[in-house]
Amino acid sequence: MLYKNEFGAGFNLGFNLSDYPYLNDKSWHNDVSPSFNFNVGSQYYVLWVVIRPSRA
């Protein structure tokens, strides 16, 4: 999984990626957060995962 390479093996997406098999990981090291693409019909979408700061 690209997002684990780019953002660390312990990165928590906040959802179980295996529940959404249609999401294609397109994360890249120049991105600020993990991203996934998917299609609905002929439309192409990108889902960006918002990184929230952890609370102490």
Side-chain angles (χ1 to χ4, degrees):
M1 296 185 184
L2 295 174
Y3 82 90
K4 287 188 176 187
N5 293 339
E6 305 301 339
F7 297 96
F11 186 88
N12 182 3
L13 290 173
F15 61 92
N16 186 349
L17 187 55
S18 64
D19 290 342
Y20 305 94
Y22 51 85
L23 293 178
N24 302 304
D25 190 352
K26 64 173 235 57
S27 303
W28 189 248
H29 64 272
N30 288 337
D31 293 343
V32 71
S33 65
S35 59
F36 302 86
N37 61 43
F38 64 98
N39 293 45
V40 176
S42 62
Q43 295 292 315
Y44 173 84
Y45 296 91
V46 176
L47 171 70
W48 291 91
V49 177
V50 175
I51 300 174
R52 294 183 181 215
S54 59
R55 295 183 181 187

